[in-house]
Amino acid sequence: MNLIRAVGGDHSSLAAGSETYMSAEADQWDHSGICVEFQRWEHPSYKQLGGRLFVSHLSIIDAIANVGLSATRSMILNR
């Protein structure tokens, strides 16, 4: 909250997994005047080298290395 206020912010977009630990401070956030939003992003899947099951939420470098820059760009822009 202090960091958001320090830069004049009034909104925070957080990873969905942070809801677990943020719930302990829910009252503080409710009264802070800062809007908290949890991301509900569905990760696109793509063929990863090595023949294993798809591993999501890796860096964009993984997508570029596996499917190339053009296909990665298309995945991002078509969401």
Side-chain angles (χ1 to χ4, degrees):
M1 282 180 261
N2 291 337
L3 292 174
I4 295 167
R5 285 187 186 123
V7 297
D10 62 1
H11 186 91
S12 182
S13 184
L14 304 168
S18 62
E19 279 183 275
T20 302
Y21 68 82
M22 292 287 293
S23 64
E25 300 173 347
D27 288 342
Q28 291 177 28
W29 284 97
D30 289 344
H31 297 3
S32 71
I34 298 170
C35 176
V36 177
E37 176 182 62
F38 295 97
Q39 298 173 0
R40 301 282 184 238
W41 186 68
E42 290 186 36
H43 196 292
S45 62
Y46 50 87
K47 183 167 177 49
Q48 292 173 319
L49 301 175
R52 60 180 190 259
L53 295 176
F54 179 73
V55 179
S56 69
H57 294 81
L58 300 176
S59 77
I60 194 168
I61 295 169
D62 182 72
I64 293 169
N66 282 285
V67 299
L69 184 58
S70 180
T72 301
R73 183 180 294 123
S74 292
M75 282 191 289
I76 294 168
L77 295 177
N78 292 327
R79 285 266 159 212

